[in-house]
Amino acid sequence: MTVPAGQTYKYSALPSETSIRLLEILSGPEEPIQCTLKVVDLGDSPLYDCLSYTWGDPLYHELSAPQNIRRTSGERNRPISCDGLTVYGTENLREALLQLGRSGAVAATTRQRERLIWIDALCIDQGNLDERSSQVALMNRIYSAAQTVMVWLGVADEHTGGAMDVMGRLASIPPANLAVEIPADLDDPGVYHALGIPYVEPQQWLDFAAFLQRSWFGRVWVIQETFVARNIVVLCGPNVLRWADISASSHALRETLLGELLTSLVVLTVNPSWTSSAYAGNTLTNPFIFENMRQKATSLNLEKLLVQGRYFNATDDRDHVFALLGMRDQSLVQKSPYHIRPEYHVDVQQVYTKVSWATMCEMADLNILSLVEDASFRRLQNLPSWVPDYSIAPQTYPLAGSPRAAAGKERWNASDGLSWGVPVQTDLRLLPVEGIQFDTIVEFAATATEITDQHQIGALLDLLTHFPQPHYPNGDPPTEAFWKTLIKDTFLGGPADEPARRAFPLLITLHIWELKTAINNLRGTPERRSEFNQLSALYAHTKSTLTALSAKYPNSSSSSSDSPVIPDWPTIKRLINTAHDADLDTAADHIAESFRVAYNGRRLFRTARGYLGIAAQSLGVGDALWVLAGAAVPVVLRELSAGRWGLVGEAYVHSVMNGEVVRGGGGKVERIHLE
């Protein structure tokens, strides 16, 4: 990080590894900022506070009136007088210092702000990479020793008043009411009656959303800064807020349907043409993540930290690792030969690869492979295929769950029968693995986006129509494997059974109803005649495919149900006509959610041996299915050269999820390298 032009303040080297600088504000209210920096040693237990803030623009502008928007940059271009010389900070830091200078009492209690305060941008020589790395390694100690962590959310804006009102209401919801089922409409008075709070206007909801999507809530460093804090005080302009209220209101969003409803309201307000499969990144429940991690402080392994850290943002991609290290359970560190510490002279690809090795050693398995996103979602270039891109939010739900199930509660163990040990590293980028190649992909269907946004439900049905064998490899009807595969054999948190089977026809019906609705919406619009014709042809093809499937699998029902799992056309028409049946609506919601969780970012495939599965949407014909020692689920690999393979992604393959390949002698065990 370069020193801003015009900066005259010169940092002197810190005298010891535990030395830090602390800042004292000398200026009074409404005066130009003047301060001094003093060197202290943490071993002397100095009294000070810490400032937690974001360098860049602190506000979320997408819900603001255009005339009220004033954007700020993260450039260090605001001069600050320090010991008579000039040092530069960002606009948001300048606003924070001005606010701190206006008021000594920053808490809702009588405790005064400490005279000295630690602020990263000014107390660390940002142009010295060695000092920056060593000070970042001390961050956990710096924040845990502070009397108070003062959170600066930025200046107040048009949303602040309404947000504070909603926050107070949500924080007052009795815990028992959070478990009550509420209507799926924020305008419905029944929502507020069930929760026991006054009605909230739509604009107030948007105010609250704008507040929770301020930049601070999405910043990866704030996880550690709040994780170790003895006391937290939150400042939003001149307003002092209770951290407990912020956490409780975010918890209410997460524990009820309110979070989903508010997210939809925000997305539709910002982008009225939003489609249902679009990813909506938001920080509405991040305060709950902070508090949840604080409560589980003794059990935070690297894997959990890296997964949670992906929901946050960082100016420097390496901070998706470095910002989390201070929260790691130190009792686990000795399990890994990899000493991970902040090193800003090391490129991000090497940092991510090294921490992936460390995680694998710490967890003693290959679950790290299940955290790798589809290649189409990756942002960083030149990462080994088996290393997750920690700089982006998760785009899919790991098949075995995240966080992983407790020991003994695991649903799947595809490599059961294969022994795994920590591989010997000879090249940081190459991961040696052992396993069995048991099949190859010969056909695949549409992605989640194509099915949901382009109405290609027929593409899934086509693959079933093409299924060549009369029975699935385990002896079941192909329809049984088909519907269970599309939801990874999971419904309402457990194995898919009879309620899921009865609900599955509603999933097909829902997508056909959406296709029919899209066609009806295009009627009478000559300028969109081509799109109307295209969807009409798709509708006719889907109807024809269902008719063919009804003939091919006339008895696709379970022993306890007379209804085929793949509905015929008369059944679909009947279900559409009963669309307002409350029980059917609930079942449709549940099966649609099961499909979304399983299928998002993936696609259906068929193998040469007749297996059905779902895996990363970048898969292709000829890709191989493997069971790898140490991996709970199968994986799709792509051969790059002799003995070298690239990871496409984890896979659910119906009826081979619990050691069937190994026990059935599915092939010889081979040693290969992932790169």
Side-chain angles (χ1 to χ4, degrees), residues 580-622:
H580 297 295
D581 183 295
D583 291 338
L584 290 179
D585 284 349
T586 299
D589 288 343
H590 289 160
I591 196 67
E593 177 66 4
S594 297
F595 176 69
R596 184 187 70 84
V597 169
Y599 206 80
N600 187 47
R602 301 186 174 100
R603 66 165 86 228
L604 178 69
F605 64 83
R606 178 174 63 84
T607 72
R609 295 174 59 189
Y611 288 105
L612 294 177
I614 54 174
Q617 62 188 30
S618 292
L619 64 81
V621 171

Side-chain angles (χ1 to χ4, degrees), residues 229-282:
R230 301 180 185 178
N231 180 43
I232 302 174
V233 170
V234 184
L235 300 175
C236 183
N239 304 292
V240 180
L241 312 178
R242 285 181 5 109
W243 174 256
D245 288 345
I246 296 174
S247 179
S249 59
S250 179
H251 178 65
L253 295 183
R254 192 178 183 94
E255 292 300 302
T256 68
L257 193 58
L258 291 175
E260 293 180 29
L261 297 177
L262 183 53
T263 298
S264 297
L265 175 63
V266 171
V267 174
L268 288 171
T269 302
V270 173
N271 180 16
S273 62
W274 172 72
T275 51
S276 57
S277 71
Y279 172 75
N282 69 77

Side-chain angles (χ1 to χ4, degrees), residues 461-621:
L461 301 171
D462 285 341
L463 192 144
L464 183 57
T465 305
H466 303 157
F467 199 85
Q469 293 96 348
H471 298 286
Y472 195 70
N474 69 349
D476 285 343
T479 51
E480 184 77 358
F482 176 77
W483 75 266
K484 286 190 173 182
T485 297
L486 290 179
I487 59 172
K488 66 181 178 83
D489 193 20
T490 303
F491 186 69
L492 296 178
D497 50 15
E498 188 60 28
R501 188 193 314 274
R502 291 196 301 267
F504 188 81
L506 298 172
L507 179 68
I508 305 294
T509 303
L510 175 64
H511 284 283
I512 291 174
W513 176 78
E514 289 176 345
L515 172 56
K516 184 65 174 176
T517 300
I519 293 171
N520 289 337
N521 290 340
L522 292 174
R523 294 187 188 279
T525 55
E527 69 278 7
R528 302 181 68 180
R529 172 60 61 181
S530 175
E531 186 178 354
F532 175 84
N533 290 339
Q534 182 180 8
L535 291 182
S536 296
L538 192 59
Y539 184 81
H541 173 76
T542 305
K543 180 179 180 180
S544 175
T545 301
L546 279 166
T547 301
L549 284 173
S550 297
K552 185 174 183 178
Y553 303 110
N555 299 312
S556 62
S557 60
S558 70
S559 58
S560 59
S561 172
D562 294 330
S563 300
V565 71
I566 306 298
D568 58 21
W569 200 253
T571 299
I572 288 174
K573 292 180 67 175
R574 177 179 58 79
L575 290 173
I576 290 176
N577 290 333
T578 57
H580 297 295
D581 183 295
D583 291 338
L584 290 179
D585 284 349
T586 299
D589 288 343
H590 289 160
I591 196 67
E593 177 66 4
S594 297
F595 176 69
R596 184 187 70 84
V597 169
Y599 206 80
N600 187 47
R602 301 186 174 100
R603 66 165 86 228
L604 178 69
F605 64 83
R606 178 174 63 84
T607 72
R609 295 174 59 189
Y611 288 105
L612 294 177
I614 54 174
Q617 62 188 30
S618 292
L619 64 81
V621 171

Side-chain angles (χ1 to χ4, degrees), residues 314-325:
T315 303
D316 189 317
D317 289 329
R318 290 167 291 196
D319 286 338
H320 281 281
V321 175
F322 297 159
L324 306 170
L325 296 177

Side-chain angles (χ1 to χ4, degrees), residues 49 99-107 111-114 150:
D49 293 331
Q99 184 59 46
L100 292 175
R102 294 186 185 109
S103 174
V106 297
R111 201 192 73 75
Q112 294 292 110
R113 176 175 65 80
E114 293 297 335
M150 295 184 295

